[in-house]
Amino acid sequence: MQHKKYTGFKFWQIAITYIATMVGAGFASGREIWQYLASYGSKAFFGIIMAGMSMMVLAIFVALIARYSRTENMGEVVIPIDNKNSHKIMKYVMAAVLFTGLINMSSAGGALIHQIYGLPIFIGNAVVVLLTVVTVLHGFEKMSGIFSKISPFLIALLIVITLLTIFKNGIAMDVPVIEKSTHPLSDSLTKSVLLFFSYNTIVIVSIISTAAYRARSTKDAVTGVVIGGILWTTLAVLLFFMLLTDPITSMNLDIPLIHYANELSRVLFVFACAVMCIAIYSCSSGMFYGFATIFPTNKSKRTSLIIAGSIGFAFSLMGFKNFIKYVLPITGVLGYVIITLVIINFVKSVVMNVCTTQEKDRYKFPEEVINVTTGHGSSALLFIGEKKTALVDCSMAYCRDSLVKKIKSVLGDRKLDYVLLSHSHYDHIGAMTALREAWPKIISVGSQHSHDVLERPGAHKLIKHLSEVASQIYYKKKDENISTAGMYIDKVVGDGDIIDLGGKQIEIIETPGHTKCSLSFIVWPMSIMLLSESAGVVERKGLAHPTILHSYEEAVKSFDKCESFNPERIIVSHYGIIPHSYNKQFWKLMRKILDDERQEIVSMWNMGFSEDDIFERMKVKYWYAGRAVEQPLDAFEINMRHTIRLYNPEKEQKN
């Protein structure tokens, strides 16, 4: 059986989404470039380069924040403080600005129809609004798929038209200032460059945060943004030089691109019209999608978006040229604030996490804790007392031989007396059979429920299947020799029981939540706690995810019980050791993510989502290619569906 693979957005899809959204009607027509840059003559060339590169760098910041914080919420990407009200306010403010994108693009559609055919402006406005609303109602993935098909056509045509115009008329490198803006926010080249960059900031945040969040990996997200940014800047430079081939004409036309294409040939004129239609449609859809995220995904969302589209149509009648001249500068002011906040949040959420020593030091256990882990899955930690030895968890089956070898190299002539199991999942008990073969008198220790589970043939069948899937992923071939024969519990333990190693005692703490059989351990006298997954799993500093499969209420009780011990050091399953200085923040973080996940899933159930719908959304949130290092997608799906069913309000009421 082939294991499942995650298929998030690839880098080229990110790049295309970037370009399709950023190359709107104002940009593709040449109107924005003229209004804010080319009107200052040849000296604006370096301003365009700076604007393009600045937008690309900001987009990288946004992509990394979305990836590191695992969020596509615009408020959470922008606001550097953990305050839900602040996130909500910023989300609504940005959504309002994104709504102006529909007004801008629909007015551009009206101007295009009027300039080409002489038809009333409102006809083009209405067509754009209708297409935009219909597209957004079909969701981000559908919209991105459309962009991936039409954007290469858009880019190619823009390059052809601009290059032919430049070759025909020649490059003008000494054009003076033609039309200096009188607007106080753009009355100098420096201000115009900043305003142009600032206005586009809102589009960057809304689209790149979602695209990067759904990317296959962080590398794909960043690579896509870089490619998209370079291509966008190249197109901006070509449009800039095209406009300067005839500055007076460029100044007087709403849509200069159409004029220059018509000057070349009738065929290119038709293609230029197609370019404008694509640019209007793609940018309008991208910005309106960002606006649409403020509405909950339920039956009323369709009605809300139709009403919003109608309002946008009414405002679009103000005209394309007037919109760019008067409205964009106002939204650009908000962009300055957003740029500042994104930079601060990038430092807080990304730089501070990358530079922290927590990630580098998470495997630097105290000398009393010997890490004998040799593969993926749970850690395998060895404790050596004066009389006895104990191993806590024993990883996956595929690395059983290397685990046994490493333990023997540490113990020498001593034997392994105990293996303590935090719970009965395949990635924690995989090497048990091999341990019994190496040390026949070893005593396996676990909860009563683990004992009961491991007596079921169905449990052994699932453990074997998931172990084989893991071997295909990590060992690169199916391991045909995996045996579950030694997977059973010899000694059942419960709250307060002690495993005495001589000089070291391991106290048992029952912590149901992740599973009914979950156990945590605290090692005395060092006060080192080995937490079960009922507390959740840390991904990196400040980021974690819950793993509740059995009971939310029992998980909360288990959490409180463990926190009450106030351990000196905390070791988290699948992660490593938490710095002592981070202990208090750790408990707050894990409690928060536990409550947030429950609220999110219950909310989706209440809105009428199916189990499959909820799973797909949770997969986007929690799954990424890098996570496969610790958990195959098959295992993630089994666990997540358990959690989703657990939080079904109908089931909770029955319980």
PDB file of all heavy atoms in Angstrom, residues 98-128:
ATOM      1  N   LEU A  98      -9.074  46.094   1.051  1.00  0.00           N
ATOM      2  CA  LEU A  98      -9.115  45.136  -0.051  1.00  0.00           C
ATOM      3  C   LEU A  98     -10.411  45.250  -0.846  1.00  0.00           C
ATOM      4  O   LEU A  98     -10.442  44.991  -2.048  1.00  0.00           O
ATOM      5  CB  LEU A  98      -8.952  43.715   0.492  1.00  0.00           C
ATOM      6  CG  LEU A  98      -7.551  43.368   0.987  1.00  0.00           C
ATOM      7  CD1 LEU A  98      -7.582  42.065   1.773  1.00  0.00           C
ATOM      8  CD2 LEU A  98      -6.573  43.256  -0.161  1.00  0.00           C
ATOM      9  N   PHE A  99     -11.460  45.658  -0.162  1.00  0.00           N
ATOM     10  CA  PHE A  99     -12.735  45.863  -0.851  1.00  0.00           C
ATOM     11  C   PHE A  99     -12.604  46.935  -1.931  1.00  0.00           C
ATOM     12  O   PHE A  99     -13.271  46.873  -2.970  1.00  0.00           O
ATOM     13  CB  PHE A  99     -13.809  46.240   0.163  1.00  0.00           C
ATOM     14  CG  PHE A  99     -15.158  46.492  -0.449  1.00  0.00           C
ATOM     15  CD1 PHE A  99     -15.884  45.452  -1.016  1.00  0.00           C
ATOM     16  CD2 PHE A  99     -15.699  47.770  -0.465  1.00  0.00           C
ATOM     17  CE1 PHE A  99     -17.129  45.677  -1.585  1.00  0.00           C
ATOM     18  CE2 PHE A  99     -16.943  47.999  -1.024  1.00  0.00           C
ATOM     19  CZ  PHE A  99     -17.661  46.953  -1.581  1.00  0.00           C
ATOM     20  N   THR A 100     -11.738  47.912  -1.679  1.00  0.00           N
ATOM     21  CA  THR A 100     -11.529  48.954  -2.697  1.00  0.00           C
ATOM     22  C   THR A 100     -10.901  48.375  -3.960  1.00  0.00           C
ATOM     23  O   THR A 100     -10.987  48.979  -5.026  1.00  0.00           O
ATOM     24  CB  THR A 100     -10.635  50.088  -2.163  1.00  0.00           C
ATOM     25  OG1 THR A 100      -9.311  49.584  -1.921  1.00  0.00           O
ATOM     26  CG2 THR A 100     -11.195  50.682  -0.891  1.00  0.00           C
ATOM     27  N   GLY A 101     -10.261  47.186  -3.823  1.00  0.00           N
ATOM     28  CA  GLY A 101      -9.703  46.538  -5.012  1.00  0.00           C
ATOM     29  C   GLY A 101     -10.791  46.172  -6.005  1.00  0.00           C
ATOM     30  O   GLY A 101     -10.606  46.289  -7.225  1.00  0.00           O
ATOM     31  N   LEU A 102     -11.942  45.717  -5.484  1.00  0.00           N
ATOM     32  CA  LEU A 102     -13.066  45.416  -6.372  1.00  0.00           C
ATOM     33  C   LEU A 102     -13.547  46.685  -7.063  1.00  0.00           C
ATOM     34  O   LEU A 102     -13.840  46.691  -8.265  1.00  0.00           O
ATOM     35  CB  LEU A 102     -14.207  44.786  -5.573  1.00  0.00           C
ATOM     36  CG  LEU A 102     -15.500  44.514  -6.359  1.00  0.00           C
ATOM     37  CD1 LEU A 102     -15.264  43.433  -7.411  1.00  0.00           C
ATOM     38  CD2 LEU A 102     -16.629  44.112  -5.420  1.00  0.00           C
ATOM     39  N   ILE A 103     -13.608  47.779  -6.307  1.00  0.00           N
ATOM     40  CA  ILE A 103     -14.036  49.063  -6.885  1.00  0.00           C
ATOM     41  C   ILE A 103     -13.059  49.501  -7.975  1.00  0.00           C
ATOM     42  O   ILE A 103     -13.455  49.902  -9.082  1.00  0.00           O
ATOM     43  CB  ILE A 103     -14.125  50.144  -5.786  1.00  0.00           C
ATOM     44  CG1 ILE A 103     -15.120  49.714  -4.705  1.00  0.00           C
ATOM     45  CG2 ILE A 103     -14.510  51.488  -6.378  1.00  0.00           C
ATOM     46  CD1 ILE A 103     -15.129  50.613  -3.483  1.00  0.00           C
ATOM     47  N   ASN A 104     -11.777  49.399  -7.659  1.00  0.00           N
ATOM     48  CA  ASN A 104     -10.728  49.797  -8.608  1.00  0.00           C
ATOM     49  C   ASN A 104     -10.794  48.976  -9.891  1.00  0.00           C
ATOM     50  O   ASN A 104     -10.815  49.516 -11.002  1.00  0.00           O
ATOM     51  CB  ASN A 104      -9.368  49.626  -7.927  1.00  0.00           C
ATOM     52  CG  ASN A 104      -8.213  50.113  -8.786  1.00  0.00           C
ATOM     53  OD1 ASN A 104      -8.407  50.770  -9.816  1.00  0.00           O
ATOM     54  ND2 ASN A 104      -6.999  49.788  -8.370  1.00  0.00           N
ATOM     55  N   MET A 105     -10.842  47.654  -9.747  1.00  0.00           N
ATOM     56  CA  MET A 105     -10.802  46.793 -10.928  1.00  0.00           C
ATOM     57  C   MET A 105     -12.087  46.863 -11.752  1.00  0.00           C
ATOM     58  O   MET A 105     -12.051  46.792 -12.974  1.00  0.00           O
ATOM     59  CB  MET A 105     -10.542  45.347 -10.509  1.00  0.00           C
ATOM     60  CG  MET A 105      -9.157  45.106  -9.915  1.00  0.00           C
ATOM     61  SD  MET A 105      -7.798  45.580 -11.019  1.00  0.00           S
ATOM     62  CE  MET A 105      -7.313  47.149 -10.264  1.00  0.00           C
ATOM     63  N   SER A 106     -13.236  47.006 -11.081  1.00  0.00           N
ATOM     64  CA  SER A 106     -14.476  47.111 -11.854  1.00  0.00           C
ATOM     65  C   SER A 106     -14.549  48.442 -12.588  1.00  0.00           C
ATOM     66  O   SER A 106     -15.041  48.501 -13.725  1.00  0.00           O
ATOM     67  CB  SER A 106     -15.699  46.928 -10.941  1.00  0.00           C
ATOM     68  OG  SER A 106     -15.683  47.847  -9.871  1.00  0.00           O
ATOM     69  N   SER A 107     -14.016  49.502 -11.990  1.00  0.00           N
ATOM     70  CA  SER A 107     -13.961  50.781 -12.705  1.00  0.00           C
ATOM     71  C   SER A 107     -12.988  50.693 -13.876  1.00  0.00           C
ATOM     72  O   SER A 107     -13.205  51.295 -14.932  1.00  0.00           O
ATOM     73  CB  SER A 107     -13.560  51.913 -11.754  1.00  0.00           C
ATOM     74  OG  SER A 107     -12.259  51.715 -11.237  1.00  0.00           O
ATOM     75  N   ALA A 108     -11.923  49.899 -13.704  1.00  0.00           N
ATOM     76  CA  ALA A 108     -10.993  49.679 -14.814  1.00  0.00           C
ATOM     77  C   ALA A 108     -11.675  48.930 -15.951  1.00  0.00           C
ATOM     78  O   ALA A 108     -11.451  49.216 -17.138  1.00  0.00           O
ATOM     79  CB  ALA A 108      -9.782  48.887 -14.331  1.00  0.00           C
ATOM     80  N   GLY A 109     -12.529  47.954 -15.597  1.00  0.00           N
ATOM     81  CA  GLY A 109     -13.277  47.229 -16.625  1.00  0.00           C
ATOM     82  C   GLY A 109     -14.182  48.155 -17.409  1.00  0.00           C
ATOM     83  O   GLY A 109     -14.301  48.053 -18.636  1.00  0.00           O
ATOM     84  N   GLY A 110     -14.822  49.091 -16.699  1.00  0.00           N
ATOM     85  CA  GLY A 110     -15.672  50.061 -17.380  1.00  0.00           C
ATOM     86  C   GLY A 110     -14.882  50.960 -18.309  1.00  0.00           C
ATOM     87  O   GLY A 110     -15.302  51.246 -19.442  1.00  0.00           O
ATOM     88  N   ALA A 111     -13.698  51.418 -17.820  1.00  0.00           N
ATOM     89  CA  ALA A 111     -12.852  52.276 -18.649  1.00  0.00           C
ATOM     90  C   ALA A 111     -12.370  51.538 -19.894  1.00  0.00           C
ATOM     91  O   ALA A 111     -12.294  52.114 -20.992  1.00  0.00           O
ATOM     92  CB  ALA A 111     -11.656  52.756 -17.826  1.00  0.00           C
ATOM     93  N   LEU A 112     -12.045  50.249 -19.750  1.00  0.00           N
ATOM     94  CA  LEU A 112     -11.559  49.453 -20.883  1.00  0.00           C
ATOM     95  C   LEU A 112     -12.645  49.311 -21.953  1.00  0.00           C
ATOM     96  O   LEU A 112     -12.404  49.542 -23.142  1.00  0.00           O
ATOM     97  CB  LEU A 112     -11.129  48.073 -20.377  1.00  0.00           C
ATOM     98  CG  LEU A 112     -10.661  47.070 -21.437  1.00  0.00           C
ATOM     99  CD1 LEU A 112      -9.387  47.567 -22.103  1.00  0.00           C
ATOM    100  CD2 LEU A 112     -10.441  45.701 -20.812  1.00  0.00           C
ATOM    101  N   ILE A 113     -13.844  48.943 -21.528  1.00  0.00           N
ATOM    102  CA  ILE A 113     -14.955  48.775 -22.470  1.00  0.00           C
ATOM    103  C   ILE A 113     -15.278  50.099 -23.164  1.00  0.00           C
ATOM    104  O   ILE A 113     -15.545  50.153 -24.371  1.00  0.00           O
ATOM    105  CB  ILE A 113     -16.207  48.242 -21.728  1.00  0.00           C
ATOM    106  CG1 ILE A 113     -15.963  46.820 -21.216  1.00  0.00           C
ATOM    107  CG2 ILE A 113     -17.433  48.281 -22.625  1.00  0.00           C
ATOM    108  CD1 ILE A 113     -15.769  45.796 -22.300  1.00  0.00           C
ATOM    109  N   HIS A 114     -15.206  51.172 -22.381  1.00  0.00           N
ATOM    110  CA  HIS A 114     -15.516  52.483 -22.952  1.00  0.00           C
ATOM    111  C   HIS A 114     -14.463  52.926 -23.961  1.00  0.00           C
ATOM    112  O   HIS A 114     -14.786  53.441 -25.042  1.00  0.00           O
ATOM    113  CB  HIS A 114     -15.629  53.522 -21.827  1.00  0.00           C
ATOM    114  CG  HIS A 114     -15.953  54.895 -22.311  1.00  0.00           C
ATOM    115  ND1 HIS A 114     -17.189  55.240 -22.821  1.00  0.00           N
ATOM    116  CD2 HIS A 114     -15.175  56.027 -22.380  1.00  0.00           C
ATOM    117  CE1 HIS A 114     -17.178  56.513 -23.183  1.00  0.00           C
ATOM    118  NE2 HIS A 114     -15.967  57.012 -22.914  1.00  0.00           N
ATOM    119  N   GLN A 115     -13.161  52.708 -23.627  1.00  0.00           N
ATOM    120  CA  GLN A 115     -12.091  53.150 -24.522  1.00  0.00           C
ATOM    121  C   GLN A 115     -12.070  52.337 -25.813  1.00  0.00           C
ATOM    122  O   GLN A 115     -11.777  52.869 -26.884  1.00  0.00           O
ATOM    123  CB  GLN A 115     -10.737  53.035 -23.811  1.00  0.00           C
ATOM    124  CG  GLN A 115      -9.555  53.539 -24.659  1.00  0.00           C
ATOM    125  CD  GLN A 115      -8.281  53.660 -23.842  1.00  0.00           C
ATOM    126  OE1 GLN A 115      -8.321  54.030 -22.671  1.00  0.00           O
ATOM    127  NE2 GLN A 115      -7.137  53.373 -24.458  1.00  0.00           N
ATOM    128  N   ILE A 116     -12.417  51.062 -25.738  1.00  0.00           N
ATOM    129  CA  ILE A 116     -12.349  50.199 -26.922  1.00  0.00           C
ATOM    130  C   ILE A 116     -13.608  50.310 -27.779  1.00  0.00           C
ATOM    131  O   ILE A 116     -13.540  50.502 -29.000  1.00  0.00           O
ATOM    132  CB  ILE A 116     -12.144  48.730 -26.498  1.00  0.00           C
ATOM    133  CG1 ILE A 116     -10.816  48.574 -25.761  1.00  0.00           C
ATOM    134  CG2 ILE A 116     -12.167  47.814 -27.726  1.00  0.00           C
ATOM    135  CD1 ILE A 116     -10.626  47.215 -25.140  1.00  0.00           C
ATOM    136  N   TYR A 117     -14.761  50.203 -27.125  1.00  0.00           N
ATOM    137  CA  TYR A 117     -16.008  50.104 -27.884  1.00  0.00           C
ATOM    138  C   TYR A 117     -16.918  51.319 -27.750  1.00  0.00           C
ATOM    139  O   TYR A 117     -17.939  51.410 -28.445  1.00  0.00           O
ATOM    140  CB  TYR A 117     -16.795  48.862 -27.439  1.00  0.00           C
ATOM    141  CG  TYR A 117     -16.031  47.579 -27.618  1.00  0.00           C
ATOM    142  CD1 TYR A 117     -15.579  46.868 -26.517  1.00  0.00           C
ATOM    143  CD2 TYR A 117     -15.747  47.076 -28.901  1.00  0.00           C
ATOM    144  CE1 TYR A 117     -14.867  45.679 -26.673  1.00  0.00           C
ATOM    145  CE2 TYR A 117     -15.036  45.892 -29.053  1.00  0.00           C
ATOM    146  CZ  TYR A 117     -14.604  45.199 -27.939  1.00  0.00           C
ATOM    147  OH  TYR A 117     -13.904  44.029 -28.089  1.00  0.00           O
ATOM    148  N   GLY A 118     -16.591  52.215 -26.841  1.00  0.00           N
ATOM    149  CA  GLY A 118     -17.444  53.382 -26.650  1.00  0.00           C
ATOM    150  C   GLY A 118     -18.719  53.066 -25.897  1.00  0.00           C
ATOM    151  O   GLY A 118     -19.654  53.881 -25.880  1.00  0.00           O
ATOM    152  N   LEU A 119     -18.793  51.902 -25.254  1.00  0.00           N
ATOM    153  CA  LEU A 119     -19.987  51.504 -24.517  1.00  0.00           C
ATOM    154  C   LEU A 119     -20.036  52.212 -23.157  1.00  0.00           C
ATOM    155  O   LEU A 119     -19.005  52.653 -22.640  1.00  0.00           O
ATOM    156  CB  LEU A 119     -19.997  49.987 -24.307  1.00  0.00           C
ATOM    157  CG  LEU A 119     -20.124  49.132 -25.566  1.00  0.00           C
ATOM    158  CD1 LEU A 119     -19.981  47.656 -25.209  1.00  0.00           C
ATOM    159  CD2 LEU A 119     -21.467  49.373 -26.256  1.00  0.00           C
ATOM    160  N   PRO A 120     -21.208  52.303 -22.562  1.00  0.00           N
ATOM    161  CA  PRO A 120     -21.319  52.924 -21.230  1.00  0.00           C
ATOM    162  C   PRO A 120     -20.412  52.219 -20.216  1.00  0.00           C
ATOM    163  O   PRO A 120     -20.288  50.992 -20.218  1.00  0.00           O
ATOM    164  CB  PRO A 120     -22.798  52.735 -20.876  1.00  0.00           C
ATOM    165  CG  PRO A 120     -23.489  52.637 -22.190  1.00  0.00           C
ATOM    166  CD  PRO A 120     -22.525  51.926 -23.099  1.00  0.00           C
ATOM    167  N   ILE A 121     -19.807  52.990 -19.349  1.00  0.00           N
ATOM    168  CA  ILE A 121     -18.838  52.465 -18.386  1.00  0.00           C
ATOM    169  C   ILE A 121     -19.448  51.405 -17.473  1.00  0.00           C
ATOM    170  O   ILE A 121     -18.800  50.413 -17.124  1.00  0.00           O
ATOM    171  CB  ILE A 121     -18.251  53.625 -17.552  1.00  0.00           C
ATOM    172  CG1 ILE A 121     -17.321  54.474 -18.429  1.00  0.00           C
ATOM    173  CG2 ILE A 121     -17.505  53.103 -16.330  1.00  0.00           C
ATOM    174  CD1 ILE A 121     -16.774  55.702 -17.739  1.00  0.00           C
ATOM    175  N   PHE A 122     -20.714  51.582 -17.099  1.00  0.00           N
ATOM    176  CA  PHE A 122     -21.311  50.677 -16.109  1.00  0.00           C
ATOM    177  C   PHE A 122     -21.380  49.228 -16.600  1.00  0.00           C
ATOM    178  O   PHE A 122     -21.434  48.302 -15.788  1.00  0.00           O
ATOM    179  CB  PHE A 122     -22.693  51.173 -15.684  1.00  0.00           C
ATOM    180  CG  PHE A 122     -23.781  50.964 -16.712  1.00  0.00           C
ATOM    181  CD1 PHE A 122     -24.468  49.772 -16.790  1.00  0.00           C
ATOM    182  CD2 PHE A 122     -24.106  51.989 -17.601  1.00  0.00           C
ATOM    183  CE1 PHE A 122     -25.473  49.582 -17.723  1.00  0.00           C
ATOM    184  CE2 PHE A 122     -25.102  51.806 -18.551  1.00  0.00           C
ATOM    185  CZ  PHE A 122     -25.790  50.602 -18.611  1.00  0.00           C
ATOM    186  N   ILE A 123     -21.378  49.024 -17.933  1.00  0.00           N
ATOM    187  CA  ILE A 123     -21.443  47.658 -18.462  1.00  0.00           C
ATOM    188  C   ILE A 123     -20.187  46.877 -18.079  1.00  0.00           C
ATOM    189  O   ILE A 123     -20.251  45.749 -17.567  1.00  0.00           O
ATOM    190  CB  ILE A 123     -21.635  47.670 -19.993  1.00  0.00           C
ATOM    191  CG1 ILE A 123     -23.003  48.256 -20.346  1.00  0.00           C
ATOM    192  CG2 ILE A 123     -21.499  46.244 -20.562  1.00  0.00           C
ATOM    193  CD1 ILE A 123     -23.255  48.379 -21.829  1.00  0.00           C
ATOM    194  N   GLY A 124     -19.021  47.462 -18.330  1.00  0.00           N
ATOM    195  CA  GLY A 124     -17.762  46.809 -17.967  1.00  0.00           C
ATOM    196  C   GLY A 124     -17.639  46.615 -16.469  1.00  0.00           C
ATOM    197  O   GLY A 124     -17.169  45.572 -15.990  1.00  0.00           O
ATOM    198  N   ASN A 125     -18.089  47.623 -15.706  1.00  0.00           N
ATOM    199  CA  ASN A 125     -18.051  47.517 -14.244  1.00  0.00           C
ATOM    200  C   ASN A 125     -18.845  46.301 -13.760  1.00  0.00           C
ATOM    201  O   ASN A 125     -18.392  45.523 -12.921  1.00  0.00           O
ATOM    202  CB  ASN A 125     -18.655  48.770 -13.612  1.00  0.00           C
ATOM    203  CG  ASN A 125     -17.854  50.029 -13.917  1.00  0.00           C
ATOM    204  OD1 ASN A 125     -17.138  50.088 -14.912  1.00  0.00           O
ATOM    205  ND2 ASN A 125     -17.992  51.039 -13.080  1.00  0.00           N
ATOM    206  N   ALA A 126     -20.039  46.147 -14.302  1.00  0.00           N
ATOM    207  CA  ALA A 126     -20.926  45.066 -13.877  1.00  0.00           C
ATOM    208  C   ALA A 126     -20.358  43.696 -14.220  1.00  0.00           C
ATOM    209  O   ALA A 126     -20.441  42.755 -13.415  1.00  0.00           O
ATOM    210  CB  ALA A 126     -22.303  45.246 -14.523  1.00  0.00           C
ATOM    211  N   VAL A 127     -19.757  43.575 -15.399  1.00  0.00           N
ATOM    212  CA  VAL A 127     -19.187  42.290 -15.825  1.00  0.00           C
ATOM    213  C   VAL A 127     -18.065  41.864 -14.876  1.00  0.00           C
ATOM    214  O   VAL A 127     -17.984  40.705 -14.453  1.00  0.00           O
ATOM    215  CB  VAL A 127     -18.670  42.370 -17.276  1.00  0.00           C
ATOM    216  CG1 VAL A 127     -17.858  41.117 -17.624  1.00  0.00           C
ATOM    217  CG2 VAL A 127     -19.829  42.532 -18.247  1.00  0.00           C
ATOM    218  N   VAL A 128     -17.188  42.811 -14.529  1.00  0.00           N
ATOM    219  CA  VAL A 128     -16.066  42.498 -13.633  1.00  0.00           C
ATOM    220  C   VAL A 128     -16.578  42.070 -12.262  1.00  0.00           C
ATOM    221  O   VAL A 128     -16.103  41.085 -11.684  1.00  0.00           O
ATOM    222  CB  VAL A 128     -15.118  43.707 -13.499  1.00  0.00           C
ATOM    223  CG1 VAL A 128     -14.061  43.443 -12.421  1.00  0.00           C
ATOM    224  CG2 VAL A 128     -14.442  44.005 -14.821  1.00  0.00           C
TER     225      VAL A 128
END
